[in-house]
Amino acid sequence: GSSPWGGISTQNSNPYTSAPRRGVQTRSYHLTLAECDIKPDGVVTQNTICVNGQFPGPLISANYGDTLSITATNKLKDEGTAMRCDKFWMRSNIVVCSINDGVLTEALAVIYYQGADTKTLPAVAPNQGPAASTSPMSCGNDPLTSTIPTFPIAVAKPNVTNELAISLKSNGTHMLYTMNNVSFRADFNVPLINHAFDSTLRNLPAKRNIWNLGTATEVRVVIYNWNDAPHPIYLHGHNMQVLNLGM
Protein backbone atom coordinates (compact mmCIF):
# COMPACT_ATOMS: atom_id res chain seq x y z
CA GLY A 1 0.00 0.00 0.00
CA SER A 2 0.87 3.67 -0.01
CA SER A 3 3.03 5.21 2.67
CA PRO A 4 1.19 6.61 5.72
CA TRP A 5 2.51 10.11 5.03
CA GLY A 6 1.54 10.28 1.34
CA GLY A 7 2.99 13.46 -0.19
CA ILE A 8 3.69 15.04 3.21
CA SER A 9 7.29 16.01 3.91
CA THR A 10 9.05 18.08 6.54
CA GLN A 11 9.56 20.78 3.92
CA ASN A 12 5.97 21.23 2.71
CA SER A 13 3.75 20.78 5.77
CA ASN A 14 3.27 21.85 9.37
CA PRO A 15 3.90 18.71 11.46
CA TYR A 16 1.49 19.94 14.16
CA THR A 17 -1.46 20.31 11.81
CA SER A 18 -0.65 17.94 8.93
CA ALA A 19 0.84 14.87 10.58
CA PRO A 20 0.39 11.49 8.85
CA ARG A 21 -2.55 9.33 9.83
CA ARG A 22 -1.89 7.19 12.88
CA GLY A 23 -2.35 3.53 13.61
CA VAL A 24 -0.49 2.33 10.52
CA GLN A 25 1.96 0.19 12.49
CA THR A 26 2.86 -0.26 16.14
CA ARG A 27 6.49 -1.06 16.87
CA SER A 28 7.10 -2.60 20.30
CA TYR A 29 10.37 -2.47 22.20
CA HIS A 30 11.31 -3.87 25.63
CA LEU A 31 14.18 -2.07 27.35
CA THR A 32 15.90 -3.32 30.50
CA LEU A 33 18.18 -0.96 32.45
CA ALA A 34 20.95 -2.47 34.59
CA GLU A 35 24.51 -1.78 35.68
CA CYS A 36 27.35 -3.05 33.50
CA ASP A 37 31.08 -2.59 32.95
CA ILE A 38 32.34 -1.06 29.71
CA LYS A 39 35.64 0.18 28.28
CA PRO A 40 34.72 3.40 26.42
CA ASP A 41 38.36 4.06 25.50
CA GLY A 42 39.17 0.39 24.96
CA VAL A 43 41.41 0.26 28.04
CA VAL A 44 39.89 1.61 31.27
CA THR A 45 36.88 -0.24 32.71
CA GLN A 46 34.01 1.98 33.85
CA ASN A 47 30.78 1.03 35.59
CA THR A 48 27.75 2.53 33.90
CA ILE A 49 24.09 1.91 33.05
CA CYS A 50 23.37 -0.26 30.03
CA VAL A 51 20.14 -0.84 28.15
CA ASN A 52 19.55 -4.48 27.17
CA GLY A 53 23.15 -5.20 28.17
CA GLN A 54 24.71 -2.69 25.80
CA PHE A 55 26.02 0.89 25.72
CA PRO A 56 24.85 2.86 23.82
CA GLY A 57 21.42 1.27 23.95
CA PRO A 58 19.72 -0.62 21.10
CA LEU A 59 18.52 1.11 17.95
CA ILE A 60 14.85 2.11 17.89
CA SER A 61 13.54 2.30 14.33
CA ALA A 62 10.23 3.66 13.06
CA ASN A 63 8.64 5.25 10.01
CA TYR A 64 6.86 8.58 9.98
CA GLY A 65 3.38 7.91 11.38
CA ASP A 66 4.21 4.73 13.31
CA THR A 67 3.26 4.27 16.96
CA LEU A 68 6.02 3.26 19.38
CA SER A 69 5.14 1.05 22.35
CA ILE A 70 8.11 1.00 24.75
CA THR A 71 8.22 -1.02 27.96
CA ALA A 72 11.09 -0.14 30.31
CA THR A 73 12.19 -2.40 33.21
CA ASN A 74 14.44 -0.87 35.86
CA LYS A 75 16.86 -3.43 37.35
CA LEU A 76 19.12 -0.88 39.01
CA LYS A 77 19.80 -1.81 42.61
CA ASP A 78 19.04 1.36 44.51
CA GLU A 79 17.92 4.17 42.23
CA GLY A 80 15.06 5.18 40.04
CA THR A 81 15.49 6.35 36.50
CA ALA A 82 13.73 8.32 33.80
CA MET A 83 13.93 7.54 30.10
CA ARG A 84 13.39 10.17 27.44
CA CYS A 85 11.85 9.32 24.11
CA ASP A 86 12.62 12.53 22.32
CA LYS A 87 11.55 13.28 18.77
CA PHE A 88 14.43 11.34 17.24
CA TRP A 89 16.90 13.73 18.89
CA MET A 90 20.43 12.61 18.21
CA ARG A 91 23.88 13.92 19.13
CA SER A 92 27.29 12.75 18.06
CA ASN A 93 30.72 14.20 18.87
CA ILE A 94 29.76 14.09 22.55
CA VAL A 95 31.92 16.27 24.78
CA VAL A 96 32.27 16.66 28.54
CA CYS A 97 28.86 18.25 28.99
CA SER A 98 27.20 14.96 28.00
CA ILE A 99 29.45 12.42 29.76
CA ASN A 100 29.76 13.09 33.48
CA ASP A 101 32.86 11.00 34.18
CA GLY A 102 34.90 12.76 31.50
CA VAL A 103 36.43 9.50 30.26
CA LEU A 104 34.81 9.57 26.84
CA THR A 105 35.94 12.92 25.46
CA GLU A 106 34.95 12.43 21.83
CA ALA A 107 32.30 9.94 20.73
CA LEU A 108 31.84 9.44 17.00
CA ALA A 109 28.70 8.04 15.39
CA VAL A 110 28.22 6.82 11.82
CA ILE A 111 24.66 7.20 10.49
CA TYR A 112 23.84 4.96 7.51
CA TYR A 113 20.91 5.32 5.14
CA GLN A 114 18.71 2.30 4.51
CA GLY A 115 20.42 -0.13 2.15
CA ALA A 116 23.89 1.36 2.64
CA ASP A 117 26.96 -0.83 3.03
CA THR A 118 27.49 -0.74 6.80
CA LYS A 119 30.96 -2.27 6.45
CA THR A 120 32.28 0.80 4.62
CA LEU A 121 33.38 3.84 6.61
CA PRO A 122 32.46 7.35 5.35
CA ALA A 123 35.08 9.05 3.21
CA VAL A 124 34.19 12.59 4.30
CA ALA A 125 35.02 14.41 7.55
CA PRO A 126 32.30 14.47 10.24
CA ASN A 127 30.18 17.59 10.76
CA GLN A 128 31.54 18.99 13.99
CA GLY A 129 28.70 21.45 14.66
CA PRO A 130 28.78 23.09 18.11
CA ALA A 131 31.45 20.60 19.28
CA ALA A 132 33.97 22.47 17.11
CA SER A 133 33.91 25.34 19.62
CA THR A 134 37.19 26.20 21.26
CA SER A 135 35.54 25.68 24.64
CA PRO A 136 35.51 22.01 25.79
CA MET A 137 32.29 22.71 27.69
CA SER A 138 30.39 24.07 24.70
CA CYS A 139 27.02 22.37 24.58
CA GLY A 140 25.01 24.83 22.53
CA ASN A 141 23.16 24.70 19.26
CA ASP A 142 24.43 26.12 16.00
CA PRO A 143 24.15 29.95 15.87
CA LEU A 144 20.58 31.17 15.32
CA THR A 145 21.85 33.48 12.57
CA SER A 146 22.83 30.43 10.50
CA THR A 147 19.92 28.19 11.52
CA ILE A 148 17.26 27.81 8.83
CA PRO A 149 14.02 26.04 9.85
CA THR A 150 12.89 23.18 7.65
CA PHE A 151 9.34 24.52 7.79
CA PRO A 152 9.00 28.10 9.16
CA ILE A 153 6.17 28.59 11.66
CA ALA A 154 5.05 32.03 12.82
CA VAL A 155 5.70 32.95 16.46
CA ALA A 156 2.47 33.02 18.47
CA LYS A 157 1.66 35.72 21.02
CA PRO A 158 2.21 34.25 24.52
CA ASN A 159 -0.55 34.12 27.14
CA VAL A 160 2.05 34.01 29.93
CA THR A 161 5.71 35.03 30.18
CA ASN A 162 7.82 33.34 32.88
CA GLU A 163 11.37 34.21 33.90
CA LEU A 164 13.57 31.32 35.00
CA ALA A 165 16.91 31.83 36.78
CA ILE A 166 19.28 28.83 36.87
CA SER A 167 21.90 28.83 39.62
CA LEU A 168 24.35 26.41 41.21
CA LYS A 169 24.35 26.59 45.00
CA SER A 170 25.59 24.67 48.00
CA ASN A 171 23.20 23.28 50.60
CA GLY A 172 26.09 22.64 52.99
CA THR A 173 26.61 19.08 51.79
CA HIS A 174 26.19 19.04 48.01
CA MET A 175 26.09 21.44 45.10
CA LEU A 176 22.56 21.74 43.72
CA TYR A 177 21.14 23.35 40.61
CA THR A 178 18.14 25.55 41.37
CA MET A 179 15.42 27.14 39.31
CA ASN A 180 14.24 30.42 40.82
CA ASN A 181 16.00 29.39 44.06
CA VAL A 182 14.17 26.04 44.29
CA SER A 183 15.95 22.73 43.75
CA PHE A 184 14.08 19.69 42.43
CA ARG A 185 13.20 16.82 44.77
CA ALA A 186 11.91 13.63 43.16
CA ASP A 187 9.71 10.89 44.62
CA PHE A 188 10.40 7.81 42.51
CA ASN A 189 7.53 5.97 44.19
CA VAL A 190 5.01 8.50 42.88
CA PRO A 191 6.21 10.00 39.57
CA LEU A 192 4.93 13.38 38.47
CA ILE A 193 3.09 11.86 35.54
CA ASN A 194 0.87 9.95 37.99
CA HIS A 195 -0.14 13.26 39.55
CA ALA A 196 -0.85 14.64 36.09
CA PHE A 197 -3.17 11.73 35.31
CA ASP A 198 -5.19 12.14 38.50
CA SER A 199 -5.13 15.99 38.45
CA THR A 200 -3.28 16.37 41.77
CA LEU A 201 -0.24 18.33 40.57
CA ARG A 202 -1.49 21.46 42.32
CA ASN A 203 -1.30 19.64 45.66
CA LEU A 204 2.45 19.01 45.47
CA PRO A 205 4.91 20.96 47.67
CA ALA A 206 7.09 23.75 46.26
CA LYS A 207 10.21 21.54 46.35
CA ARG A 208 8.79 19.50 43.45
CA ASN A 209 9.30 22.64 41.34
CA ILE A 210 5.98 22.60 39.47
CA TRP A 211 4.77 25.59 37.45
CA ASN A 212 1.05 26.29 37.43
CA LEU A 213 0.32 28.16 34.20
CA GLY A 214 -3.43 27.87 34.44
CA THR A 215 -5.14 27.57 31.06
CA ALA A 216 -2.32 29.21 29.07
CA THR A 217 -1.79 27.70 25.63
CA GLU A 218 1.26 29.76 24.63
CA VAL A 219 4.04 30.37 27.18
CA ARG A 220 7.21 32.41 26.70
CA VAL A 221 10.13 31.44 28.96
CA VAL A 222 13.07 33.80 29.52
CA ILE A 223 16.00 31.81 30.94
CA TYR A 224 18.90 33.38 32.83
CA ASN A 225 21.90 31.11 33.31
CA TRP A 226 23.98 32.48 36.23
CA ASN A 227 26.68 29.82 35.87
CA ASP A 228 30.04 29.86 34.12
CA ALA A 229 29.10 26.92 31.87
CA PRO A 230 26.26 26.21 29.41
CA HIS A 231 23.21 24.43 30.78
CA PRO A 232 21.04 22.36 28.39
CA ILE A 233 17.27 22.77 28.79
CA TYR A 234 14.70 20.14 27.82
CA LEU A 235 10.99 20.91 27.41
CA HIS A 236 9.31 17.52 27.01
CA GLY A 237 5.89 17.23 25.47
CA HIS A 238 5.92 20.81 24.20
CA ASN A 239 6.11 22.43 20.80
CA MET A 240 9.05 24.79 21.23
CA GLN A 241 10.66 27.67 19.34
CA VAL A 242 14.02 29.21 20.26
CA LEU A 243 13.61 32.94 19.64
CA ASN A 244 16.85 34.48 20.86
CA LEU A 245 19.99 33.93 22.90
CA GLY A 246 22.91 35.98 24.11
CA MET A 247 24.63 37.55 27.07
Side-chain angles (χ1 to χ4, degrees), residues 34-38 45-51 53-55 76:
E35 292 185 2
C36 65
D37 292 329
I38 63 172
T45 300
Q46 295 287 320
N47 182 262
T48 188
I49 297 175
C50 286
V51 181
Q54 65 184 77
F55 179 90
L76 299 175

Side-chain angles (χ1 to χ4, degrees), residues 22 33 46 58 63 70 76 82 84 98 129 138 205 233 239 243:
R22 299 182 179 181
L33 286 80
Q46 295 287 320
N63 288 322
I70 300 176
L76 299 175
R84 298 197 311 268
S98 297
S138 175
I233 294 293
N239 301 334
L243 304 181

Side-chain angles (χ1 to χ4, degrees), residues 173-207:
T173 304
H174 303 286
M175 298 298 295
L176 300 175
Y177 278 105
T178 63
M179 294 184 175
N180 291 349
N181 293 318
V182 178
S183 63
F184 174 71
R185 297 295 181 88
D187 184 349
F188 291 114
N189 293 317
V190 187
L192 291 178
I193 194 163
N194 286 6
H195 290 285
F197 285 147
D198 60 20
S199 301
T200 57
L201 282 174
R202 66 179 66 249
N203 300 331
L204 294 176
K207 64 182 180 181

Side-chain angles (χ1 to χ4, degrees), residues 10-13 15 143-155 240-242:
T10 55
Q11 288 82 23
N12 66 15
S13 64
L144 290 181
T145 54
S146 61
T147 300
I148 301 176
T150 302
F151 183 85
I153 299 176
V155 177
M240 179 179 61
Q241 293 172 301
V242 181

Side-chain angles (χ1 to χ4, degrees), residues 93-148:
N93 290 334
I94 305 172
V95 291
V96 176
C97 59
S98 297
I99 301 296
N100 292 330
D101 57 21
V103 172
L104 187 56
T105 59
E106 187 74 2
L108 300 180
V110 179
I111 311 302
Y112 292 99
Y113 288 101
Q114 186 174 359
D117 182 4
T118 58
K119 296 181 180 180
T120 302
L121 293 176
V124 297
N127 178 13
Q128 297 296 323
S133 169
T134 56
S135 170
M137 292 297 291
S138 175
C139 212
N141 296 320
D142 291 326
L144 290 181
T145 54
S146 61
T147 300
I148 301 176

